[in-house]
Amino acid sequence: MPEMMKAAVFESEGVLNLKEVPVPQLENEDQILIRVEAASICGTDVHIASVPPGFHAAPGTILGHEFVGIVDKKGANVHHLEIGDRVVVNPNNYCGNCVYCRKNLPNECEKIEALGIEYDGAFATYCRVYGKVAYKISQKVPVDLAACAEPLACAVNGLKKVQVLPGDSAVVIGGGPIGLMLAMLLKSSGAGKVFLLELAPYRIEFAKKLGAMQVIDPTSCDAAKIIADATGIGADIVFDVAGSQIKAAIELVRKGGKVVLFGINQRAHTEITQYDITAKEISVLGTWLANATFPEAVRILEEKIIDIAPLITDVLPLEALNQGIAKLEAGQAIKIVVRP
Ligand SMILES: [Zn+2]
Ligand SMILES: [Zn+2]
């Protein structure tokens, strides 16, 4: 067991450095040490690394919260895992005792702690987590796909907010990795027509190549008219993955339909006419992180229910993390995986 390891440390505004740091030690018998096989770069990492930051992380923290690895050490209280198991991790550690944890909402835990944002994460050779947030996954799942279990678990949590029925029509606003995963999940759940709204040329071309969904650029055509014409009444389900499109979502959904707000944008303030929600009897639902959806995400990957392989546009060594972040910031990639 080496004493030192390579890790990408967020040092201060815009400064993410690859450094030699001590390998973390178990602090108690509830923890495990994971040898990281692969970690994917999240939009949140891009926001943390940008100047000024779009999302705040604690300086001195090793970033990286979407990953897969092998259990290297385990505390005596961890009974559901063995040394050598391959695991994916829910990066949002919950206390298990607060009022929300007791309401089966650990994603809303009052003491929630975010791996790779508030405490050391997985852009490193080793990562220490609590055993309770680690889930076993088959060695047969390609490593770069397994690294994406976390965003997939979040997408599944969003999907669980609605009941997709065979033939339902759906709109996804935002064609990043989560939007594309949601479009694929909707399709595999039985949705008929799935429309994807996206502005960025790279993402538009990418989604068109994936097929299975109709890609609409709302700046060059009347998205509402296209969707109304295709469905007759508007979409049954609309997902806003952009985090600022509630107004468009309410316009595109049919009477009695469902709007799910997935995207995170704390700066977005939208003026909406509340009457439209009332009169159209629209259900507007928020969805936050992953809640008990890691087992589903693991099963989707193991059984290839959807194929997310095409979404991984780049695989880089950990040393090239900053290049990967720059590429995502420039909008020239969908999902980038780094391997320590
Ligand atoms: Zn993430
Ligand atoms: Zn809690």
Side-chain angles (χ1 to χ4, degrees), residues 99-222:
V99 68
Y100 284 109
C101 282
R102 285 167 187 253
K103 281 188 178 294
N104 289 332
L105 288 169
N107 54 330
E108 301 288 358
C109 171
E110 291 178 328
K111 291 180 182 163
I112 202 160
E113 284 182 316
L115 177 92
I117 296 170
E118 292 166 323
Y119 66 102
D120 284 342
F123 289 145
T125 318
Y126 291 91
C127 183
R128 176 186 59 210
V129 303
Y130 278 86
K132 70 173 187 273
V133 292
Y135 297 81
K136 203 172 158 178
I137 187 167
S138 165
Q139 303 268 1
K140 287 186 189 141
V141 179
V143 66
D144 303 321
L145 273 55
C148 299
E150 193 267 337
L152 184 59
C154 295
V156 172
N157 194 29
L159 191 73
K160 279 176 85 172
K161 300 294 187 292
V162 291
Q163 194 186 2
V164 186
L165 293 172
D168 272 354
S169 57
V171 176
V172 177
I173 306 174
I178 294 276
L180 295 171
M181 282 181 192
L182 272 168
M184 290 174 171
L185 287 168
L186 283 158
K187 205 75 199 172
S188 75
S189 304
K193 292 191 172 74
V194 176
F195 304 89
L196 185 88
L197 268 58
E198 175 57 53
L199 313 171
Y202 174 90
R203 288 181 168 188
I204 289 171
E205 286 315 306
F206 191 90
K208 278 184 180 166
K209 272 187 238 150
L210 278 181
M213 59 196 103
Q214 188 178 337
V215 186
I216 302 172
D217 174 1
T219 58
S220 67
C221 58
D222 186 346

Side-chain angles (χ1 to χ4, degrees), residues 195-335:
F195 304 89
L196 185 88
L197 268 58
E198 175 57 53
L199 313 171
Y202 174 90
R203 288 181 168 188
I204 289 171
E205 286 315 306
F206 191 90
K208 278 184 180 166
K209 272 187 238 150
L210 278 181
M213 59 196 103
Q214 188 178 337
V215 186
I216 302 172
D217 174 1
T219 58
S220 67
C221 58
D222 186 346
K225 186 173 184 320
I226 293 170
I227 291 162
D229 286 350
T231 57
I233 51 173
D236 297 301
I237 299 162
V238 180
F239 277 89
D240 170 20
V241 189
S244 57
Q245 298 301 309
I246 184 171
K247 199 175 175 135
I250 288 167
E251 190 190 348
L252 298 173
V253 76
R254 69 162 168 85
K255 289 177 182 175
K258 287 173 181 164
V259 168
V260 184
L261 305 178
F262 190 112
I264 301 164
N265 183 341
Q266 289 183 327
R267 282 168 292 198
H269 292 279
T270 313
E271 204 167 289
I272 54 166
T273 307
Q274 187 174 322
Y275 171 83
D276 293 341
I277 298 172
T278 311
K280 282 176 78 176
E281 288 201 308
I282 299 167
S283 303
V284 178
L285 306 152
T287 185
W288 185 241
L289 310 175
N291 179 9
T293 45
F294 269 79
E296 283 92 334
V298 165
R299 214 157 49 235
I300 289 165
L301 290 169
E302 288 181 343
E303 293 173 21
K304 258 196 159 192
I305 306 289
I306 62 168
D307 182 14
I308 63 164
L311 306 188
I312 297 159
T313 49
D314 304 77
V315 177
L316 302 171
L318 180 59
E319 289 77 3
L321 177 64
N322 277 310
Q323 282 117 283
I325 288 174
K327 200 167 177 186
L328 280 170
E329 202 163 22
Q332 293 302 312
I334 297 291
K335 203 69 188 158

